[in-house]
Structures are given as C-alpha cells and as structure tokens.
C-alpha cells in the first residue's frame, strides 16, 4: 500500500466527518452562532479555551483575518498548546482540580459573556470545571467535544460528569474515541487524527453564522482583515479602537 493511498483514505475520512457535522450538527451550529451574535449585539465579550491540541481550534478563532475581532483566548498557563516542557505537564495540568476556577476568577470574563470550551474527550477536570464555574458566574458556554467519549470512557474529574453536561450549546465533533482515523496491519497503533480539522471547521461555521446573523439584524460584524492586504492594518486599527474595551489581546 503506497503512501498516496493512505493520504487519500485520510482525506476521505476527514471529508466524511465534515459532511456528518454539517448535516447532523446544523441545528447546534445555528444555535451557537445565534448565541454569539446575541452576545456581540448586547455588548458582551467572547472567549475561547482549549487545552493541549484542543487549543489549536481556540487559537484559530483569535486575532484572525476574516474572524470576529471580539474573540479572546482564555489562556491557562502551561496548558495552551504543546510548548510547555515537558509536554506531558500540559496533560497533567488538565487533571488539576481548582485550576480552571482560579483562571476564570482572575480573567476579564464576566456575566453575559460567552465562553467556547473545546475538549475532545470532555472528561478531564480542566474543561469540565471551566464550564461549571463559567455558568455559575453567569457566562454562556458553547462546548465542542466528541460525545462518544461520554459513553465509552469514564469521567476523570471530581464531578463525575463530562463537558457536554455543562453547556448551553454542545457541538459534537463525531470523532471516534482515540482520535485516529487509519489502521494498518503492519502498524501497531491507529494513526492520523482528524479532530483539529473537524473542530476548527465546526467553529468557523459557527463564526460565519454569527457574522451573517448580525448582518441580518443591521449590525456590522466586527471582522478583522488580513494585514497582508492593502488597507488591512488601517481597517483593523479602526476595529481595535471602536471595540477596544472588549478586546484583551490588543492593549
């Protein structure tokens, strides 16, 4: 079996998952986009959080050409991405009780804001506690997770629940437990994860819905333009000035 055949199999698997979420999660995408549009229109702020590789989809929404300028990254030190050394520390931090509440309590997030929480398994303390505490503070929570984990794994947090149990809107990425799409008899472990592709696409669909919903209401969505396009920096400068009190990555 050549490498090109495996590449094609991965693309087919990813496309199949994207078609599933497009069709099966359409209602949830619409609800999440409407919730974000409502929050923007009402003067609220937007935050996104993910730990480890789940943070990639969160970062994909922040300070992004073609994206809403109001989306801020809620960062947990040592848990954003895989730049912490050793990388296993990031995984360990996901299981620490109390960390999520401490981060939220010292963040700008407040009642009336929206927090997008991304966690593939949805079983660790950090995303579950983050969702629970955010709702207790009066935030709305959009969770992006694989619901399959809730029936195929045990929860790994004090509450004994999953991220999906503490959200106003749940987006199911449909990713199989283990997050690997391909197998070979000659390879002892499954390989080729698709969660980043699918989760990022789901969230960009949500943001597109939010922008369109705002426009339908006669509200110009606060979008950023590429700094590599003529006039982009000037455009973004005006957006930062107008919405500066709701943007925390540009100070």
């Amino acid at each position: 079996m050549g490498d090109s055949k495996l590449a094609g199999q991965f693309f087919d698997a990813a496309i199949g998952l994207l078609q599933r979420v497009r069709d099966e999660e359409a209602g949830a995408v619409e609800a999440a986009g409407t919730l974000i549009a409502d929050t923007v229109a009402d003067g609220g702020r937007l935050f996104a959080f993910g730990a480890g590789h789940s943070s990639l989809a969160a970062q994909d929404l922040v300070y992004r050409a073609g994206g809403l300028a109001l989306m801020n990254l809620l960062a947990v030190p040592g848990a954003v991405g895989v730049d912490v050394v050793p990388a296993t520390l990031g995984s360990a931090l996901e299981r620490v009780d109390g960390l999520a509440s401490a981060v939220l309590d010292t963040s700008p997030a407040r009642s009336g804001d929206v927090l997008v929480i991304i966690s593939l398994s949805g079983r660790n303390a950090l995303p579950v506690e983050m969702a629970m505490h955010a709702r207790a503070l009066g935030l709305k929570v959009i969770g992006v997770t694989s619901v399959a984990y809730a029936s195929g794994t045990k929860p790994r947090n004090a509450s004994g629940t999953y991220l999906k149990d503490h959200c106003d809107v749940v987006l199911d990425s449909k990713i199989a437990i283990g997050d690997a799409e391909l197998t070979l008899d000659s390879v002892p472990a499954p390989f080729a994860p698709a969660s980043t592709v699918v989760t990022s696409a789901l969230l960009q669909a949500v943001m597109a819905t939010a922008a369109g919903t705002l426009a339908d209401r006669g509200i110009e969505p606060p979008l950023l333009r590429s700094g590599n396009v003529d006039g982009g920096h000037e455009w973004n400068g005006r957006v930062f000035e107008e919405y500066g009190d709701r943007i925390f990555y540009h100070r």
Side-chain angles (χ1 to χ4, degrees), residues 84-237:
V84 60
V85 178
T88 49
L89 174 59
S91 299
L93 288 172
E94 282 195 72
R95 300 191 289 272
V96 174
D97 290 325
L99 180 56
S101 294
V103 168
L104 265 179
D105 287 342
T106 54
S107 79
R110 66 189 183 195
S111 180
D113 294 346
V114 162
L115 174 58
V116 177
I117 300 178
I118 305 154
S119 174
L120 182 62
S121 72
R123 66 194 291 240
N124 289 310
L126 194 51
V128 172
E129 181 189 331
M130 183 80 74
M132 294 174 70
H133 194 58
R135 293 182 93 188
L137 293 175
L139 281 81
K140 298 290 189 182
V141 175
I142 297 170
V144 191
T145 187
S146 170
V147 173
Y149 277 83
S151 56
T153 67
K154 293 189 173 73
R156 197 156 56 190
N157 63 84
S159 74
T161 59
Y162 296 84
L163 171 60
K164 72 173 184 63
D165 300 318
H166 308 286
C167 300
D168 296 277
V169 181
V170 175
L171 298 167
D172 182 4
S173 63
K174 317 290 182 182
I175 299 293
I177 294 173
D179 191 18
E181 294 300 320
L182 303 182
T183 57
L184 269 181
D185 291 342
S186 56
V187 178
F191 55 100
S195 59
T196 304
V197 173
V198 177
T199 300
S200 292
L202 258 176
L203 284 170
Q204 290 298 350
V206 168
M207 302 307 279
T209 301
T213 302
L214 286 166
D216 287 344
R217 298 178 187 176
I219 301 169
E220 182 184 330
L223 296 168
L224 295 174
R225 301 185 90 151
S226 172
N228 297 313
V229 173
D230 290 344
H233 284 300
E234 292 76 14
W235 172 283
N236 293 343

Side-chain angles (χ1 to χ4, degrees), residues 6-24 173-175 181-182 192-199 201-202:
L6 285 173
Q9 287 180 4
F10 177 76
F11 281 122
D12 287 344
I15 290 166
L17 284 162
L18 289 170
Q19 289 173 330
R20 278 193 69 195
V21 297
R22 179 194 63 193
D23 297 339
E24 297 173 21
S173 63
K174 317 290 182 182
I175 299 293
E181 294 300 320
L182 303 182
S195 59
T196 304
V197 173
V198 177
T199 300
L202 258 176

